Amino acid sequence: MKHTIEQFLIDTFGFLPPELLVIVISAMPILELRGGIPLAHQLGFSFSEALFYGMLGNLLPIIPILLLFRPISKWMLRFSVYKRFYDWLYNRTMKKSNNVEKFGALGLILFTAVPLPTTGAYSASLAAILFFIPLRSAFLAIATGVVIAGVGVAAVMYTVF
């Protein structure tokens, strides 16, 4: 599924400069760094360029999510379709966020740093909101996790492939 989404985005946004394409793909939920850095590698970026553009794209949505998710959700919960989505998202995030509940901001680093499906900056942002972790602490923890995950993904891409 990840490859299909990535290919669709390349076909749709292929007119963009390669740097912006990597940023856009890295900013997308599900793909995040795991999609942006391999794409940068395929496009011939250096290790540091892939890391920079991948991390930049992955970091861009964090502050808007942390600031806007709660007020927008509060308003949208009046609609049953959104309520079902919110309940699903809440339950999924709660199942995956034991470390966040136990360790707070430090748990966010771990949650973000492990580049597995359903973990990453988006899920960590939602976990931070659900556990009422302050904005500054949440952003710093998630950004640290993004750096760790980015270095790990880039290291694998540039040494193995």
Side-chain angles (χ1 to χ4, degrees):
M1 178 173 156
K2 183 177 115 181
H3 178 69
T4 306
I5 294 170
E6 190 174 313
Q7 190 58 49
F8 168 76
L9 291 171
I10 290 170
D11 293 342
T12 305
F13 297 108
F15 64 92
L16 295 174
E19 296 83 3
L20 195 52
L21 186 58
V22 171
I23 291 170
V24 167
I25 295 224
S26 296
M28 301 301 277
I30 300 170
L31 294 175
E32 299 188 41
L33 289 171
R34 296 172 297 272
I37 289 176
L39 175 63
H41 181 263
Q42 284 180 332
L43 294 172
F45 285 32
S46 70
F47 179 90
S48 59
E49 289 173 323
L51 197 56
F52 174 76
Y53 292 117
M55 288 189 314
L56 176 64
N58 203 198
L59 291 172
L60 283 176
I62 294 172
I63 289 183
I65 292 170
L66 292 173
L67 288 174
L68 301 174
F69 183 79
R70 183 167 279 126
I72 290 172
S73 283
K74 188 175 180 180
W75 180 81
M76 298 262 314
L77 281 170
R78 354 175 164 185
F79 305 105
S80 62
V81 172
Y82 183 77
K83 172 98 171 86
R84 282 193 304 264
F85 168 73
Y86 181 86
D87 290 341
W88 170 81
L89 186 63
Y90 176 84
N91 291 326
R92 184 184 71 81
T93 303
M94 294 306 263
K95 278 188 223 171
K96 300 279 185 181
S97 56
N98 294 338
N99 287 334
V100 176
E101 186 174 21
K102 200 181 299 181
F103 301 113
L106 182 60
L108 282 178
I109 294 172
L110 299 171
F111 192 76
T112 310
V114 179
L116 295 172
T118 71
T119 65
Y122 278 88
S123 297
S125 296
L126 294 175
I129 292 164
L130 296 175
F131 291 114
F132 297 95
I133 296 173
L135 177 79
R136 173 179 260 167
S137 298
F139 179 77
L140 290 174
I142 294 167
T144 301
V146 166
V147 170
I148 294 167
V151 169
V153 170
V156 168
M157 285 306 303
Y158 283 83
T159 58
V160 176
F161 299 102

